[in-house]
Amino acid sequence: MLVNRINFYLILLLFTTSAFAGKVTSLKGIVTLHKLTDKTFTPIQIGSVINYGDVIETKAKSFVKIKFPDKSSYILGPNSKLSITKQTPDSPKILNLLEGRIKGLVMKGQSKPSGYHHKVFVKTRSAILGVRGTEFVTSYNGKNHITSNITLKGEVDLYKTSDELIFESIREELDLTENESTEVNPKSLKEKIEGTKVKAIKKGYFSSALLNEEEAKVPLRISPKQIIALKETNFLTKTKSHKMSVSDLYATYEDKTFDKKTIRHGRDGGLVDLKTGIYISPPENALFDDKNKIYIIPEELGKVDPKTGDYNPPRGLLLDPTEGFILDPHYYGDRNIKENLQSLMAMTGRINERLNKAVKVFKHITRSDLYVYTDYKYTTNVTENYFGETRNITGEPSGLLDAKGFFGFQLFHNKDLLIYPKGSLKSKFYQQEDTIVRKENSGEAMAGIEIHRKFKMFGRKSRLIFDSEYKKYYKNRKQNNSLQVYHDTTTFGIKEILSFNKKNHARVFYKYGYFQGFEEENFGELHQASISHRYVLGETYDVIFGLGFSARFDNQDDQKYWITKSFFKGIKKDIFYRTDVSLSFSHEFHKSKNEFPFESAIYTNSEISFHRRLGDFWKLNGKYSYEVQNAYKEYEKRSFNGQSFGIGLTMYY
């Protein structure tokens, strides 16, 4: 009796220690354990203890089952890698799926931590999954970055990670020797999913998160044969037999409100390849079960392995994570396999085309950024902008072709440091033939480099940026359609980016510059400073506001020019299909040391703009702006009003 009591307390101590996560109850094949700081690999056996922060890795034809003190259990499939984040009593468990597939069973009676809607988070590079009392299968492929989930029981919430964060994590790894990260904060995951569009995946349904998609896919019902097989497997062998038949499973589908005319990103009734995360949809001519509202996928497109629950492609073919269906180079049994592949492509509507959106970006990233825009505007009053000063007001209307191209390259990038060379070209050409208007035709070339130091402040990601730029500005100052150097500028800046939480982001910067003028042989110094704050209001609204200050010291004539600015911008995303609208307003007070051309001025600008997203890399832009300037000198007053209407196209990559 005493011995049993001692054993009980020892077990209780083991289960409650902060380092303990779970215990291995079953395995097959080669399964190893290691820490990121330790390059040694320790074989795992039945009874091995898994601690928080450990990385569990399975080889081919291997699996491991881990059971937790809360009675939840997880099976890690072949060629997979998983880490478990340290759990506290007031936070959910986090499973960081670095590669492969996992099958989880979370007990329904398990209580949720206070302040959280989920008992467990499953995190991959491209998605976050929130789990309650659920049985599910999740997979992640590190080549195409597709996260897929099949719910076997209960319901799973799927939140797609933004492409910006996915690319950021990929770029960080390019220069790291240790390319896995197991440090995940439950509070940060909670904030990431707040305001993110969620897809609730019910029993028998599948959804996925892909690159270059704004949100996770609308859930689809998959073939009942695959559901049954997954319930009975550990990814290698059949472990148990369910009494549920295919017809019984059909009857469990809850949503029967649509018919065969409802086609989203695929047809219901398909199969999921757990290795790649790709969904194989029934073809257009597939049979439709009117009673159960589901398509019947033909065997020509592949079958379900009843032992593993995985998808087996047609004989002689492979399903590649980035290329789709390809020929199996090791199969020689069918001389007509190429013809069969072409037939298969026709049946599936070329699954490769669906992969392009998810993979094409990744294959050509991850180091370069390209941004190009071309706008055509009509302006009622042509002016010159000289370091923020509005001058040389012509009073003439004109059409304006405004274009800019920017290119940046990530020379080095890891979790602490980013080195970023960059360059740009910019031009403005007016349609008006009047010489005073043609004088404002201009061009600008820039070359620079940024050094980003990434760190954490207030427990959140922050970034300190050191920026250096050299610009040459060209102008048609002789009015002979010949652009000549007007001035050049060298600037050095420092910028701090802070994120207080998911909704509040601040930016502070200061820039010092030296300019050399060529028209008047003037030279001097520039000082610029700004502070701005971005507040995210849910999924569709953003508000940006701030203050700015600039000072220009012209050494030749001892002129000093100050500009104080306040600005506000409101953004409504998806005001209608794929279209964003923004309203902005700025107010500036200008002050000149010398009385020429004026002592002070007040400048305001109001603008409304529309941006329609056209596919993956293009936006159609529309803009209207209204500007007013009133300048004062003793008892004199100079005023001008200007309006501009524009339309343009932007390419961003």
Side-chain angles (χ1 to χ4, degrees), residues 146-305:
I146 295 177
T147 298
S148 67
N149 183 83
I150 301 170
T151 302
L152 307 178
K153 183 180 180 181
E155 185 173 293
V156 173
D157 293 334
L158 176 60
Y159 306 84
K160 193 228 178 239
T161 302
S162 69
D163 285 349
E164 180 182 359
L165 293 177
I166 296 172
F167 294 159
E168 176 81 5
S169 64
I170 295 170
R171 288 166 169 169
E172 288 179 356
E173 285 190 1
L174 294 177
D175 293 297
L176 286 176
T177 55
E178 298 291 347
N179 60 2
E180 306 105 354
S181 176
T182 61
E183 185 179 346
V184 185
N185 187 329
K187 292 184 178 179
S188 67
L189 290 189
K190 180 184 176 182
E191 290 181 355
K192 284 181 180 179
I193 65 177
E194 288 178 352
T196 303
K197 294 181 179 179
V198 61
K199 292 295 182 292
I201 311 171
K202 300 178 182 178
K203 176 182 177 180
Y205 283 73
F206 152 86
S207 181
S208 60
L210 291 80
L211 275 175
N212 210 33
E213 297 282 350
E214 294 182 9
E215 56 188 281
K217 293 292 188 181
V218 175
L220 294 171
R221 290 183 280 192
I222 68 170
S223 169
K225 294 181 180 179
Q226 189 168 30
I227 293 291
I228 293 175
L230 288 174
K231 289 180 74 69
E232 299 175 347
T233 186
N234 56 21
F235 298 122
L236 289 182
T237 58
K238 193 171 183 179
T239 59
K240 53 185 175 180
S241 180
H242 285 272
K243 296 180 179 180
M244 180 180 289
S245 65
V246 171
S247 59
D248 292 333
L249 189 57
Y250 274 133
T252 65
Y253 290 135
E254 300 175 12
D255 183 9
K256 299 182 181 180
T257 60
F258 60 90
D259 57 23
K260 60 184 177 181
K261 295 181 181 180
T262 303
I263 303 297
R264 298 180 286 267
H265 58 93
R267 295 175 178 83
D268 293 79
L271 301 173
V272 180
D273 180 49
L274 299 178
K275 300 183 186 73
T276 63
I278 296 172
Y279 179 72
I280 297 86
S281 175
E284 185 176 356
N285 60 351
L287 296 177
F288 186 76
D289 186 334
D290 288 293
K291 179 181 178 182
N292 298 291
K293 307 298 183 183
I294 194 169
Y295 286 90
I296 308 299
I297 188 166
E299 292 188 356
E300 293 88 339
L301 289 181
K303 301 178 181 179
V304 174
D305 187 329

Side-chain angles (χ1 to χ4, degrees), residues 354-396:
R354 300 207 305 273
L355 288 175
N356 279 343
K357 295 184 72 176
V359 178
K360 191 174 182 180
V361 178
F362 171 70
K363 292 177 73 173
H364 300 285
I365 78 176
T366 18
R367 297 279 192 167
S368 303
D369 300 302
L370 181 64
Y371 173 83
V372 179
Y373 78 78
T374 302
D375 288 344
Y376 180 79
K377 303 176 183 177
Y378 176 79
T379 179
T380 61
N381 199 333
V382 177
T383 63
E384 178 191 6
N385 186 304
Y386 188 74
F387 296 115
E389 174 191 354
T390 302
R391 65 184 193 179
N392 293 339
I393 302 168
T394 68
E396 296 292 331

Side-chain angles (χ1 to χ4, degrees), residues 20 63 85 94 149 193 202 234 258 262 286 330 349 373 405 410 413-414 472 538 545 595 602:
F20 178 78
F63 82 90
T85 296
I94 299 177
N149 183 83
I193 65 177
K202 300 178 182 178
N234 56 21
F258 60 90
T262 303
H330 303 293
Y373 78 78
Q410 300 200 6
H413 194 162
N414 64 20
K472 250 187 182 342
F545 53 91
E595 294 184 356
I602 295 176

Side-chain angles (χ1 to χ4, degrees), residues 95-121:
L95 305 178
N96 194 3
L97 184 60
L98 303 169
E99 183 68 41
R101 70 194 89 166
I102 186 173
K103 179 180 177 182
L105 174 61
V106 179
M107 304 307 292
K108 188 175 182 180
Q110 180 185 341
S111 61
K112 297 188 292 289
S114 177
Y116 291 88
H117 299 294
H118 304 96
K119 303 172 184 177
V120 177
F121 286 128

